Amino acid sequence: MRIPQRGLAKEELFARLEGYRRDDMPWRDGRTWAYVYDPGPEAEEVIKRAFSLYLTENALDPTVFPSTLRLENEVIAMAAAHLHGDEAVVGSFTSGGTESILLAVKAARDRAREQRPGIREPEMLLPETAHAAFQKAGHYLGVRPVLVPVDPRTFKADIDAMRAAITPDTILLVGSAVSYAHGVVDPIPELGALAQERELLLHVDGCMGGFLLPYFRRLGDPLPLYDFRVPGVTSISMDFHKYAFAAKGASSVLYRSKELRRHQMYASSNWTGYTIINPTVQSTKSAGPVAAAWAALHFIGDDGYLEIARRVRDATRRVVAGIEAIPDLRVLGRPEMNLLAFTSERVSVFHVIDEMKERGWYVQPQLAYGCSPPNIHLSINPASVRWVDDLLADLRECVDKARGMPSGELAAKVSAAFAGRDPRELTGETFQGLLAMGGVSGTALPSRMAEINEVLNALSVPLREKLLVEYLNELFRQPAEG
Ligand SMILES: Cc1ncc(COP(=O)(O)O)c(C=O)c1O
């Protein structure tokens, strides 16, 4: 594919772009229960307009574009107040949860380099429910992730296990509010006490829940504290592009003090060009996301968010009760916000997902890991609320249908063939062959994913990871002619 010789007419170009979306999930109808955080058409219009207004301003240099500094400082101030930070709390606006987490880990690492130079291989302790972004940060930054088992009933961090995992090389503890997979809040006050006792940093991952949880508390839910009121919490990540409903590319990382944030920043005047001084990962940075986040917060407002929380909270309760009433389904833990996971010991959840897809729903597969069995994840949006009864009715029928379906044959064959094999010894072709057995070839996905999900679920973690890397390495490539 080449750049067209002559530019396209606007109409044609947009028609083509619209056409490209043909196979995407039509999320506006409210039946995509993951990935999308939709505040409804009115807020969407406002957010879009704010984004386009600041599309081109470069937040790289606030001396040239002081409005970008003002927007960021205002958004971060609102975030700090939301999380009950005092005037010493500082933060940065980032492109997403992963970047916020990466920066918190970098700050912890660089502080340890300065204050605890004897540590050669720094470690961070992650409840095994902590988002994989921490492991990615560890991978990028040379901080070893130590995965700590969680309570198998509640899926919350186990304080005794966390305590037992601390070594002289530990620099950082992590807790989630809420965890993505099961939507539960870790015991942050206990983790804070442990961090203080052992003089460690504690990062709270509030990417998913940090923004909406305070409203759930205000509605009377008995939630533990997880913010800067908890002694021992030293940093918090909180996304705007999830349940603050901002445009994608919007998150924050906050620190109890400037002393800690200093370690997140990067400067270089060691080249021939302009001096680089970057608080975050990006250098050139569109001000669109920060303007859109500012607009979302101002347009929806505190009352608006409280109302959204009330609606999604009630819907979540109905969904949980409805799932529990379907034979053979079981909700994992006790979801504390508006996201949840459920499983089945008798029916393949992966078939249920495929059946739901055929009826126009997107519900998300989660593979077995640690004490968490294979399950289905749901995130409940304002736009999903009106669908609760339909979802439950379809779910009941899909479970019935899945009950009669054969499952696990290919997965059993594949796991027998790969048992004990070191993924490093396996070639790209082997993995392509494996994918072809599951019906995946080239960039085309099979309409039903149950078999491939079952294979992934059955494989060891390193094999899963290698297989997915090989798959993605195929997926992103030059399209065929025509
Ligand atoms: C708890 C939690 N932390 C971190 C992330 C990563 O955020 P992002 O996808 O914005 O990088 C997510 C994403 O869902 C999350 O749920």
Side-chain angles (χ1 to χ4, degrees):
M1 185 165 187
R2 290 177 188 278
I3 299 166
Q5 192 66 42
R6 295 235 238 116
L8 298 184
K10 267 190 297 189
E11 297 70 28
E12 185 187 349
L13 179 151
F14 284 114
R16 281 213 214 166
L17 280 178
E18 288 294 346
Y20 276 24
R21 299 210 284 193
R22 198 181 42 230
D23 296 331
D24 292 355
M25 283 306 286
W27 56 268
R28 275 197 181 81
D29 74 3
R31 302 209 299 160
T32 300
W33 290 41
Y35 296 129
V36 168
Y37 307 89
D38 172 18
E42 209 189 346
E44 188 193 337
E45 192 199 322
V46 171
I47 291 163
K48 262 190 193 156
R49 207 166 133 194
F51 198 109
S52 345
L53 199 63
Y54 275 87
L55 188 69
T56 310
E57 275 71 8
N58 196 339
L60 166 64
D61 191 342
T63 63
V64 179
F65 300 106
S67 68
T68 65
L69 177 65
R70 180 172 184 181
L71 284 170
E72 172 156 345
N73 277 339
E74 290 188 6
V75 166
I76 293 300
M78 287 186 269
H82 201 61
L83 295 170
H84 293 269
D86 60 20
E87 62 288 351
V89 164
V90 292
S92 300
F93 186 85
T94 76
S95 64
T98 300
E99 186 182 351
S100 294
I101 287 167
L102 200 78
L103 291 169
V105 174
K106 177 186 180 306
R109 183 199 67 177
D110 288 4
R111 178 178 178 270
R113 280 183 179 166
E114 196 176 283
Q115 299 187 3
R116 298 170 66 192
I119 297 182
R120 302 194 54 179
E121 272 206 298
E123 295 175 352
M124 58 181 154
L125 302 192
L126 308 177
E128 58 190 15
T129 47
H131 196 278
F134 289 95
Q135 299 187 51
K136 180 172 171 181
H139 179 76
Y140 282 9
L141 295 165
V143 177
R144 197 165 84 83
V146 176
L147 288 162
V148 182
V150 297
D151 182 315
R153 210 174 31 84
T154 61
F155 298 95
K156 296 187 179 210
D158 174 340
I159 292 294
D160 293 336
M162 291 290 278
R163 179 188 297 280
I166 295 173
T167 73
D169 293 333
T170 306
I171 60 166
L172 176 67
L173 307 181
V174 168
S176 305
V178 295
S179 63
Y180 181 82
H182 309 98
V184 298
V185 186
D186 281 331
I188 305 298
E190 288 81 354
L191 284 171
L194 180 61
Q196 284 198 311
E197 177 197 319
R198 306 299 286 265
E199 295 185 13
L200 295 167
L201 299 176
L202 169 62
H203 181 81
V204 174
D205 181 7
C207 287
M208 181 54 86
F211 192 83
L212 220 49
L213 275 174
Y215 298 103
F216 278 66
R217 268 178 79 86
R218 268 162 62 181
L219 292 168
D221 287 1
L223 291 160
L225 288 183
Y226 66 93
D227 55 26
F228 286 113
R229 283 172 290 183
V230 179
V233 170
T234 48
S235 56
I236 304 179
S237 44
M238 181 174 80
D239 290 359
F240 302 108
H241 67 193
K242 295 194 174 85
Y243 286 115
F245 303 100
K248 287 192 171 47
S251 171
S252 60
V253 54
L254 293 110
Y255 297 91
R256 194 175 277 282
S257 76
K258 258 171 28 185
E259 183 282 318
L260 181 53
R261 185 182 59 177
R262 186 157 41 79
H263 300 285
Q264 157 194 303
M265 305 211 172
Y266 178 78
S268 174
S269 60
N270 198 21
W271 71 309
T272 51
Y274 57 90
T275 295
I276 293 276
I277 164 69
N278 293 153
T280 59
V281 174
Q282 287 178 299
S283 200
T284 287
K285 187 159 135 178
S286 165
V290 70
W294 189 96
L297 297 172
H298 280 85
F299 185 74
I300 299 172
D302 204 46
D303 290 347
Y305 285 116
L306 186 63
E307 188 44 36
I308 288 176
R310 189 192 313 280
R311 290 175 53 218
V312 294
R313 170 179 174 262
D314 293 347
T316 307
R317 290 180 172 184
R318 283 167 54 214
V319 171
V320 168
I323 290 173
E324 294 285 9
I326 297 176
D328 297 338
L329 295 188
R330 178 167 67 89
V331 174
L332 295 172
R334 288 173 60 86
E336 289 173 292
M337 216 176 85
N338 53 323
L339 49 160
L340 60 103
F342 62 98
T343 190
S344 175
E345 270 84 42
R346 298 223 172 77
V347 180
S348 160
V349 289
F350 302 127
H351 278 311
V352 175
I353 291 167
D354 283 351
E355 288 301 315
M356 291 292 280
K357 180 104 191 280
E358 291 212 340
R359 293 169 183 230
W361 302 96
Y362 180 78
V363 297
Q364 193 178 42
Q366 297 191 129
L367 304 179
Y369 181 76
C371 61
S372 187
N375 64 73
I376 300 178
H377 175 97
L378 302 179
S379 290
I380 292 147
N381 265 286
S384 336
V385 171
R386 69 191 171 98
W387 289 106
V388 169
D389 292 336
D390 301 78
L391 176 105
L392 290 169
D394 274 349
L395 194 56
R396 186 179 277 273
E397 287 181 21
C398 291
V399 168
D400 281 342
K401 205 152 171 220
R403 214 175 258 118
M405 291 181 175
S407 82
E409 278 166 31
L410 181 63
K413 251 197 260 169
V414 169
S415 37
F418 285 83
R421 294 189 61 184
D422 181 344
R424 283 169 304 186
E425 289 166 7
L426 302 172
T427 62
E429 286 76 55
T430 315
F431 284 104
Q432 291 314 323
L434 187 56
L435 286 165
M437 282 166 76
V440 184
S441 63
T443 56
L445 278 178
S447 58
R448 297 188 70 91
M449 290 290 291
E451 250 190 342
I452 200 82
N453 278 326
E454 281 174 4
V455 167
L456 285 169
N457 192 59
L459 291 176
S460 67
V461 168
L463 272 167
R464 274 180 195 172
E465 290 170 353
K466 187 88 200 282
L467 182 68
L468 291 168
V469 166
E470 291 299 332
Y471 172 58
L472 238 70
N473 206 19
E474 278 295 308
L475 201 58
F476 288 93
R477 62 177 180 188
Q478 298 187 23
E481 287 290 326

